[in-house]
Amino acid sequence: MDSTDRISRSQRGQLQAAPESFLQPELISEISQHGVDKRRRGLLMSALATAGAVASGVLNAADDPEIVNVPEWSRMLGKGVASPAYGQPSKYETHVTRRQSPGLTQTTQASVSFSPLQHMFGIITASGLHFERHHQGWVDIDPRRHRFMINGLVKTPMVFTLEELMRLPSVSRIHFVECGANTGMEWGNSAVPTVQYTHGMLSCSEFTGVPLSLLLDMAGYDKERARVILAEGADGSSNSRTINIENALDDVFVAYGMNGEMIRPENGYPLRLITPGLQGVSSVKWLRRVEVGDQPYATKDESVHYVDLMPDGLQRQYSSIQEAKSVITNPSGGQKLLSHGYYNITGLAWSGRGTVKKVEVSVDGGRNWREARIDGPVLPKALTRFNFDWVWDGSEALLQSRVTDSTGYIQPSKPELREVRGTRSLYHNNAIQTWKVAASGEVANVQLG
Ligand code: MTE
């Protein structure tokens, strides 16, 4: 075994508590695993050279007891197939979980669990880590007894079983789901310590289902009068949202699949609406009904909740689209950099209005910006992964990312957002996030300005 494989990047959380020397194998494994271009290689090699102890201490495989003494897993018969029949993450990864914010809600039914963004790679959220937001708990629906109805301004009201829906032409698309309340605790001041809590009401999956436009056509919706649809869930909260007919006919779909399998119960099994780019509450889970109407329905979920309290004291309703936003997920709050040298700053960017055009990173609190690399897929209304080479010299740093989307919109700073929206809002906070790296290497959530 190569010493460089000993520590995976997903163990970053554990590295915080690990002795200093542990950081370097992780760094080296990054370099050997990814093909780096010449410019980056130069940067990486000089970063390594300056960390002189590294070359002598870590690269010498003969010093590593795990290599000299062949570990037990190289000398034994492994486990057989299908044990367990449904695969699970390694037992060394049990720290990677969804988490609740202590004290945020009184019950776990009307609550949130946050995705561990700091432990995620690429753009897809593992299904078991997809954040949850329920208004009245999640329900385990028997798919044979579930029905989906289309009514209202239609020629023929229709009722579908799951089987009937699954016989229809389907689409599979990768989209983010972000709660309108994501980053809501951060309007006034830095309230929570880690990126899991500041930005973790955010996930991205490949969903499969039937375009709503097809179903509306089947029911013969009234093209003259239809202005909106109402989507309604089958859980006790009857969560229901008005959605513009333009959105409904564009890219909204009735999904049963998520990341190659049926949607998980807590995410809406057996059917949920996927409303790409709109705030999460519109992606109604346990979907049982879509009604076509000619005016907004002003349900409790759109007149009392998910409204924006503006500086003039008025509430803004139906601000559904999730504006462009980005966040650095590593390094991020609660972590500790254990030695000077090279770090791959990485994070996520997205826009409810289209694709990510550019991500810039600043390491000095927004005074200077440099463009980040986007190596992976850039898809509409989906998370986009960015990376940025950084050599930490040990002095205090203020890490920020800023996205520009395909409409030309640039993610605002906190002061810029507050100027337009005031400080009393809860929803739709898409401001630039700042992580402060102290000389000690500790990373903290801070607000500038
Ligand atoms: N749909 C129903 N029926 N009931 C709910 O409580 N919560 C909404 C939405 N759809 C909800 C619902 C909210 S506020 C959000 S942010 C998303 O579901 C969260 O989806 P997830 O739990 O799959 O992440």
Side-chain angles (χ1 to χ4, degrees), residues 55-66:
S56 56
V58 177
L59 293 179
N60 189 353
D63 288 348
D64 190 329
E66 291 288 19

Side-chain angles (χ1 to χ4, degrees), residues 148 150 160 165 168 210-219 254:
F148 168 64
I150 299 192
F160 296 86
L165 281 174
L168 296 175
V210 186
L212 185 59
S213 57
L214 176 73
L215 299 170
L216 291 174
D217 274 339
M218 285 171 75
V254 175

